[in-house]
């Protein structure tokens, strides 16, 4: 049996088609459209233009699935709709345009599905973070069980839209960004103190960052990212001077991957 899942994210809307054989699912096709719904948030609400763009992409995916004869379809949404003040109106309008019922995941559910997707590929004790466009899910797992999880209402796109005036953050804007993120971390549940902690990153933001990291430091795919080198990347791309051609190429190719 073939089934499709449409994922309405803050940066992209994705379509994934799976084949189910008994209790196993195999991903056989995926595509995405970059919409940037977080950029259409005004006074806490998703604008009519943003809703229209989301509906258009879903209609495009529907037509594609119709041609393939795939009738089993599920639509999920995360922070862009979850955090919107006009959430009910958004869901009503999307249903009017597409006749699709959207399930809005809570932050806790999003963290759980992150864990389900990566389980079996991580150390027994580790932290997992998924930086999305409009939210960030953070969890601590031990022996294959979630011990703590938290969903922060901040993401790469929403922070960029609110605090960055140009293409790259200035040193002053970086100070503000740090303070905002630190304040959210401070208000979260106290996290356990773990010796030599390992952090696993998920999602498009982390994929782009890892691509950039490997290019700059000539790292292999099997290597992780060190905190010291991540700080160097921040230093390179938040300086006032003009970037070198090499730095520009690395940045643009990384940002174009997700």
């Amino acid at each position: 049996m073939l089934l499709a899942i449409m994922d309405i994210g803050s940066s992209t809307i994705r379509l994934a088609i799976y084949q189910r054989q008994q209790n196993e699912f195999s991903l056989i096709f995926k595509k995405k459209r970059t919409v940037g719904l977080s950029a259409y948030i005004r006074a806490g609400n998703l604008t009519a233009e943003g809703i229209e763009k989301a509906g258009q992409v879903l209609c495009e995916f529907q037509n594609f699935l119709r041609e393939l004869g795939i009738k089993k379809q599920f639509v999920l949404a995360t922070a862009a709709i979850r955090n919107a003040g006009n959430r009910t109106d958004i869901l009503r309008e999307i249903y009017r345009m597409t006749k699709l019922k959207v399930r809005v995941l809570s932050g806790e559910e999003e963290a759980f599905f992150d864990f389900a997707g990566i389980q079996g590929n991580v150390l027994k004790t580790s932290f997992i973070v998924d930086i999305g466009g409009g939210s960030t899910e953070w969890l601590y797992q031990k022996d294959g069980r979630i011990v703590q999880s938290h969903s922060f209402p901040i993401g790469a796109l929403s922070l960029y839209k609110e605090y960055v005036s140009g293409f790259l953050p200035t040193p002053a804007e970086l100070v503000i960004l740090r303070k905002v993120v630190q304040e959210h971390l401070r208000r979260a549940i106290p996290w356990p103190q773990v010796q030599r902690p390992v952090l696993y990153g998920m999602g498009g933001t982390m994929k782009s960052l890892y691509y950039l990291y490997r290019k700059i430091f000539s790292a292999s795919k099997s290597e992780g990212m060190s905190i010291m080198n991540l700080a160097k990347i921040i230093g390179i791309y938040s300086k006032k001077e003009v970037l070198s051609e090499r730095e520009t190429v690395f940045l643009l190719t990384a940002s174009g991957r997700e």
Side-chain angles (χ1 to χ4, degrees):
M1 179 183 69
L2 296 177
L3 59 91
I5 297 176
M6 288 169 264
D7 176 8
I8 306 172
S10 299
S11 299
T12 60
I13 299 178
R14 297 171 183 266
L15 167 67
I17 299 176
Y18 292 87
Q19 182 180 34
R20 179 181 180 181
Q21 294 178 311
Q22 296 180 346
N23 289 325
E24 293 187 0
F25 293 84
S26 301
L27 176 64
I28 60 173
F29 178 84
K30 61 180 179 179
K31 67 189 301 186
K32 69 173 183 178
R33 291 289 180 264
T34 300
V35 180
L37 291 183
S38 284
Y40 293 94
I41 298 293
R42 300 288 185 274
N45 292 328
L46 184 62
T47 64
E49 184 181 2
I51 298 172
E52 179 73 17
K53 285 186 176 293
Q56 289 174 352
V57 173
L58 292 175
C59 285
E60 175 196 335
F61 288 168
Q62 270 189 309
N63 291 335
F64 177 70
L65 294 171
R66 191 175 296 115
E67 287 186 31
L68 297 175
I70 300 175
K71 297 180 180 179
K72 201 78 170 176
Q73 303 172 17
F74 302 90
V75 188
L76 306 175
T78 52
I81 294 180
R82 178 174 67 232
N83 298 335
N86 60 336
R87 167 175 159 175
T88 301
D89 295 333
I90 297 169
L91 299 179
R92 184 186 301 118
E93 182 61 17
I94 288 178
Y95 183 78
R96 185 193 68 78
M97 295 176 67
T98 67
K99 295 298 183 287
L100 290 170
K101 292 184 178 180
V102 180
R103 179 184 172 189
V104 181
L105 298 179
S106 68
E108 291 71 24
E109 287 177 317
E110 194 173 350
F112 172 79
F113 287 126
D114 282 339
F115 178 62
I118 200 173
Q119 195 174 15
N121 297 304
V122 297
L123 296 176
K124 285 187 175 182
T125 300
S126 56
F127 293 93
I128 299 170
V129 63
D130 179 0
I131 304 174
S135 70
T136 297
E137 279 60 53
W138 182 285
L139 64 89
Y140 170 64
Q141 68 88 25
K142 186 174 183 180
D143 297 327
R145 183 176 62 88
I146 297 176
V147 179
Q148 288 180 227
S149 68
H150 191 84
S151 179
F152 297 93
I154 52 173
L157 184 58
S158 59
L159 288 173
Y160 178 84
K161 174 178 172 291
E162 186 166 354
Y163 298 105
V164 181
S165 57
F167 180 59
L168 294 173
T170 65
E173 288 170 339
L174 201 60
V175 170
I176 296 173
L177 286 167
R178 276 202 188 96
K179 287 182 179 179
V180 171
V181 173
Q182 287 171 350
E183 179 60 20
H184 279 279
L185 290 172
R186 186 188 65 79
R187 293 201 302 261
I189 303 170
W191 294 92
Q193 298 298 311
V194 179
Q195 289 188 341
R196 300 177 63 85
V198 174
L199 174 66
Y200 291 91
M202 299 180 64
T205 300
M206 294 300 291
K207 288 179 183 176
S208 295
L209 175 59
Y210 187 49
Y211 177 86
L212 184 62
Y213 183 98
R214 287 180 52 220
K215 284 293 185 180
I216 291 175
F217 299 108
S218 301
S220 69
K221 285 188 176 182
S222 61
E223 290 183 53
M225 296 185 286
S226 75
I227 297 298
M228 289 182 61
N229 282 342
L230 287 176
K232 291 178 182 177
I233 293 178
I234 293 173
I236 291 171
Y237 291 104
S238 63
K239 63 186 182 182
K240 294 181 180 179
E241 295 83 5
V242 176
L243 297 175
S244 69
E245 181 176 326
R246 177 176 179 269
E247 292 165 347
T248 301
V249 169
F250 287 167
L251 177 63
L252 294 179
T253 51
S255 61
R257 292 177 66 82
E258 279 292 321

